[in-house]
Amino acid sequence: MRKPAQPTINDVARIAGVSKKTVSRVINRSPLLNEDTRRRVEQVIAELGYTPNPQARALALRRNFLIGLIHDNPNAQMVLNVQHGLLEVLRDTEFELILHPVDRGSPTMLDDIRAFLEKQRPYGVMLLPPISENDSLAELCAGLGVRYVRMGSAPLDEAANMVASNDREAVRGAVEHLIAAGHRRIGLIAGPHGFRSAVERQAGYEEAIEAAGLPLQRTLIVHGDYRFESGMRAAERLLDLAPRPTAVFSSNDEMAAGVLHVAHQRGLTVPQDLSIVGFDDTPIASHIWPPLTTVRWPIATMARAAALKLVGGAGGARPGEDGEASLFVSTLIRRASVAPPPGAG
Amino acid sequence: MRKPAQPTINDVARIAGVSKKTVSRVINRSPLLNEDTRRRVEQVIAELGYTPNPQARALALRRNFLIGLIHDNPNAQMVLNVQHGLLEVLRDTEFELILHPVDRGSPTMLDDIRAFLEKQRPYGVMLLPPISENDSLAELCAGLGVRYVRMGSAPLDEAANMVASNDREAVRGAVEHLIAAGHRRIGLIAGPHGFRSAVERQAGYEEAIEAAGLPLQRTLIVHGDYRFESGMRAAERLLDLAPRPTAVFSSNDEMAAGVLHVAHQRGLTVPQDLSIVGFDDTPIASHIWPPLTTVRWPIATMARAAALKLVGGAGGARPGEDGEASLFVSTLIRRASVAPPPGAG
DNA sequence: TTGTATGCGTTATCAT
DNA sequence: ATGATAACGCATACAA
């Protein structure tokens, strides 16, 4: 196999009959350049198929063009949506996305991330929930001089470092939707302790209940861990109640699917016997039967905004209007899993 | 914010009282080194918290430590599983994973990938199905001197460049399972034309049907595009048949979920009225109702093997037994979506 | 407007 | 076993 040696800036300079610096100026779009020489150099660049070596650039500029994505696998679809949103912005820049999944259960997580940051020295990092809620992590980044953007369920940092959704309002709206359908006993499957998203979503639930003048019953609130099985367990407890709730709001779709599962097992028909509302609008929400009413938050849009905040104008990226926003609104997607409570007809 | 200047090899050399080359030797585990000096240097490295600059290394070595993942979004869970398998191996090495999603519908896909390869010059790339089936793409990598590993449903390259699953056998086993349950009219939802996986899975279906001495009926074979909606459309056509099939094998879980959806819409009970088998064992398979009997292929294991093939011993990675294998077996996961055909009791 | 000298942090060559 | 020096490909400071 022949060795396809990449042409370097020297080759371009030699063939174009100029100095490397001039080529460098062309590459970096220096304004003070003779139009003739620019064209000539660009011609040679095109002929040779020359591409600047990113590593050499990084070395000379004393900064690289890596954006890190640090997360602890919230859910597959979300991670992928974030990756897509990020890459959509990064694609036209010289930045690359590198991944760094971590294990929030590990006591060495912070050290692990520190090692990653010190080794790669990424230009910036994107922090996904739930670890994005960790203030020590944000401080670690700041201390190391690595810019960061956190994604979360509420504004927990300054706008420049944050893209947030309004989980509380969104859930309040979702539960109000159930109340408007006639439900009075509404169960909540809350997220795990220590998650800001869990807190926000529960707060939204409570706000809606109280605003409607309904009693806030602790037995109607069960915690899960955002996983399918925990949704099943929570549903068991909720459906064992007498009288049992006529509707359940689940803090994410996966647990909501667990509720549906249990309902099926018990011979309950959804939504006639039990209404269910989820959160996330992952693909499973529209694929299960019946299709799930759920809250959709604009993950890809938020990721794009985050990317713009991170690279903000650097490396060819242009901050768009997305770049300014840091709070994003979620919307209720109405499907077939909600109906009036039994006997309400 | 203070500038946390990284210590360089020069700092280490100066403080340890040796030359940079000696430090370099320590880092790279050169065998010819005095034990004393090695320990002394390692001590200083630890004290300073020195980490070699990957960009500078890449420049000097004329090769970088990037592994690219090129894919056209087969499905979220698969992409994520691959990422995890890859990163599991890469984590202990100096390699980083960079992403490059593409659009196989675009006529410029190959040019786009070429630009990516020429710019980043990754050490190696991992190609996911379906674009991994594209021979021109493999040739492009080879021509550019970029090593690659393809992931696919059958061995379509030499072992060093391939991790393959045995889709054909796996599907054959799955359909035989249906036949053993008593089914004689078994529908197939095939994958889209142009996909090797679609060909292999259809072949497995046909082998099972013929081996059982059943008639191979073209009306029982409908093509989908691996997406949920296409599964619904295919199911409509299959269930409109008279007599209708008593079982359906779907070439992936997402389409199988579509079948389940249509069955529900038509008031058919699964598995009593209709048995369904899927392929992939994505989370949705176990989360829908009833839980789906499906074929699981060892994606993460395959990805680990691929990573070992790519970095093979380089950069601290040690080829394990995974590294040798290039053919991986899938297994049938039996859940609740299969029963004897109606009236068979 | 363009060129020269120098540095970025590392490894390779060839000494000693 | 260790060190001086020259790459690697690019950018910056300073001249011209």
Side-chain angles (χ1 to χ4, degrees):
Chain A
M1 180 161 52
R2 78 178 194 288
K3 171 164 158 276
Q6 278 286 95
T8 78
I9 197 172
N10 285 309
D11 300 324
V12 177
R14 182 169 35 78
I15 295 177
V18 298
S19 77
K20 327 192 314 185
K21 182 57 208 175
T22 302
V23 179
S24 176
R25 286 201 179 90
V26 173
I27 296 169
N28 295 297
R29 297 186 165 62
S30 164
L32 22 74
L33 252 182
N34 187 311
E35 257 313 305
D36 279 353
T37 52
R38 145 162 294 143
R39 259 199 297 278
R40 185 151 38 92
V41 171
E42 276 172 348
Q43 167 101 23
V44 176
I45 288 180
E47 280 171 8
L48 260 46
Y50 164 74
T51 316
N53 178 323
Q55 274 78 29
R57 258 175 80 78
L59 187 58
L61 287 168
R62 265 171 297 277
R63 70 192 180 82
N64 60 31
F65 296 91
L66 267 24
I67 299 294
L69 174 60
I70 304 181
H71 70 87
D72 178 24
N73 190 31
N75 75 60
Q77 194 57 49
M78 170 173 161
V79 173
L80 229 61
N81 283 345
V82 167
Q83 290 181 4
H84 269 97
L86 253 24
L87 286 167
E88 213 170 293
V89 172
L90 265 31
R91 175 172 283 275
D92 301 319
T93 74
E94 51 193 332
F95 289 91
E96 287 293 332
L97 183 65
I98 63 180
L99 272 26
H100 196 77
V102 298
D103 174 11
R104 70 169 176 276
S106 161
T108 64
M109 183 188 82
L110 237 43
D111 292 330
D112 176 53
I113 294 179
R114 172 192 293 277
F116 167 70
L117 296 179
E118 287 185 336
K119 180 179 167 204
Q120 292 299 333
R121 297 247 143 221
Y123 183 83
V125 293
M126 169 87 165
L127 274 20
L128 259 41
I131 60 168
S132 60
E133 300 164 8
N134 187 332
D135 287 329
S136 318
L137 179 50
E139 285 162 19
L140 175 65
C141 295
L144 254 34
V146 176
R147 63 190 72 190
Y148 65 90
V149 167
R150 304 206 240 176
M151 183 168 190
S153 299
L156 28 82
D157 207 323
E158 37 191 303
N161 299 325
M162 191 77 216
V163 287
S165 54
N166 61 341
D167 285 19
R168 182 187 299 228
E169 283 177 58
V171 171
R172 176 173 173 157
V175 175
E176 283 172 348
H177 173 60
L178 286 170
I179 294 172
H183 294 276
R184 293 297 172 265
R185 288 183 58 76
I186 303 173
L188 166 69
I189 304 186
H193 299 285
F195 282 53
R196 179 62 179 266
S197 59
V199 172
E200 292 295 323
R201 293 171 198 180
Q202 177 164 354
Y205 165 87
E206 293 176 353
E207 283 182 13
I209 296 291
E210 288 175 345
L214 297 175
L216 196 59
Q217 302 182 42
R218 293 206 52 79
T219 51
L220 284 177
I221 300 180
V222 183
H223 282 265
D225 65 5
Y226 282 152
R227 275 188 288 254
F228 179 78
E229 289 75 15
S230 74
M232 288 186 66
R233 285 194 300 272
E236 304 275 11
R237 287 184 46 189
L238 251 18
L239 296 182
D240 277 346
L241 259 32
R244 62 171 159 76
T246 60
V248 171
F249 172 79
S250 166
S251 294
N252 77 350
D253 286 345
E254 217 175 316
M255 294 194 297
V259 179
L260 207 49
H261 219 81
V262 171
H264 273 122
Q265 285 176 340
R266 298 195 171 201
L268 296 176
T269 305
V270 175
Q272 288 77 6
D273 299 324
L274 180 72
S275 289
I276 305 179
V277 175
F279 195 104
D280 279 347
D281 194 28
T282 49
I284 196 176
S286 48
H287 291 358
I288 54 178
W289 182 270
L292 195 66
T293 292
T294 187
V295 175
R296 172 188 298 168
W297 48 307
I299 299 187
T301 304
M302 291 171 72
R304 279 194 296 272
L308 287 172
K309 282 174 197 283
L310 282 174
V311 305
R318 210 174 305 266
E321 45 191 73
D322 269 1
E324 315 304 329
S326 66
L327 189 58
F328 298 81
V329 312
S330 306
T331 53
L332 185 68
I333 307 294
R334 302 183 187 198
R335 289 198 268 250
S337 64
V338 172
Chain B
M1 180 162 52
R2 79 179 191 287
K3 170 165 158 274
Q6 278 287 93
T8 78
I9 198 172
N10 285 308
D11 301 323
V12 176
R14 183 168 34 75
I15 295 177
V18 297
S19 77
K20 2 195 275 190
K21 184 59 205 174
T22 301
V23 178
S24 175
R25 287 198 179 93
V26 172
I27 296 170
N28 296 295
R29 298 188 166 61
S30 163
L32 21 75
L33 252 182
N34 188 310
E35 258 312 304
D36 279 353
T37 49
R38 145 162 295 141
R39 260 199 298 275
R40 184 151 39 92
V41 171
E42 276 173 349
Q43 167 101 22
V44 176
I45 289 180
E47 279 171 8
L48 260 47
Y50 163 73
T51 316
N53 179 320
Q55 274 77 29
R57 256 174 84 74
L59 186 58
L61 286 169
R62 263 171 297 278
R63 70 194 177 84
N64 61 29
F65 295 90
L66 268 23
I67 300 294
L69 175 59
I70 304 181
H71 69 89
D72 176 24
N73 190 31
N75 76 60
Q77 194 58 49
M78 171 173 160
V79 172
L80 230 62
N81 283 346
V82 168
Q83 290 182 3
H84 269 97
L86 253 25
L87 286 166
E88 212 170 292
V89 172
L90 265 32
R91 172 171 284 275
D92 300 319
T93 73
E94 51 194 329
F95 289 90
E96 289 293 332
L97 183 66
I98 62 179
L99 272 25
H100 195 78
V102 299
D103 174 11
R104 70 170 175 274
S106 160
T108 63
M109 183 187 82
L110 238 42
D111 292 330
D112 175 53
I113 294 179
R114 171 190 292 278
F116 167 71
L117 295 178
E118 287 185 337
K119 180 178 168 204
Q120 292 298 334
R121 296 249 141 217
Y123 183 82
V125 293
M126 168 86 165
L127 274 20
L128 258 42
I131 59 168
S132 60
E133 300 166 8
N134 187 331
D135 287 329
S136 318
L137 179 51
E139 285 162 19
L140 176 64
C141 295
L144 254 35
V146 176
R147 63 189 74 188
Y148 66 89
V149 168
R150 305 206 238 175
M151 183 167 190
S153 300
L156 28 82
D157 206 323
E158 37 191 303
N161 299 325
M162 190 79 217
V163 287
S165 55
N166 61 340
D167 285 19
R168 183 188 296 228
E169 283 178 56
V171 171
R172 176 172 173 159
V175 175
E176 282 172 349
H177 173 60
L178 286 170
I179 293 172
H183 294 276
R184 294 295 173 267
R185 288 183 58 78
I186 303 173
L188 166 68
I189 304 185
H193 298 285
F195 282 52
R196 179 63 179 265
S197 59
V199 172
E200 293 295 322
R201 293 171 198 178
Q202 176 164 354
Y205 165 87
E206 293 178 352
E207 283 181 12
I209 296 291
E210 288 177 345
L214 298 175
L216 196 60
Q217 302 183 42
R218 294 206 52 79
T219 51
L220 285 176
I221 300 180
V222 183
H223 282 265
D225 65 5
Y226 282 153
R227 276 189 287 253
F228 179 79
E229 289 74 16
S230 76
M232 288 186 66
R233 284 194 301 273
E236 304 275 11
R237 288 185 44 191
L238 250 18
L239 297 181
D240 278 345
L241 258 31
R244 61 171 159 76
T246 61
V248 171
F249 172 78
S250 167
S251 293
N252 78 351
D253 286 345
E254 217 175 318
M255 294 193 297
V259 179
L260 207 47
H261 219 83
V262 170
H264 273 122
Q265 285 175 341
R266 300 196 171 200
L268 295 177
T269 305
V270 175
Q272 288 77 8
D273 300 325
L274 180 71
S275 289
I276 305 179
V277 175
F279 196 103
D280 279 347
D281 193 29
T282 50
I284 197 176
S286 47
H287 293 173
I288 53 178
W289 183 268
L292 195 65
T293 292
T294 186
V295 175
R296 173 189 296 167
W297 46 308
I299 298 186
T301 304
M302 291 170 73
R304 279 194 297 273
L308 286 172
K309 282 172 198 283
L310 284 174
V311 306
R318 208 177 305 266
E321 43 190 75
D322 269 2
E324 314 305 330
S326 65
L327 188 58
F328 297 81
V329 312
S330 306
T331 54
L332 185 68
I333 307 293
R334 301 182 188 198
R335 288 197 270 250
S337 65
V338 173

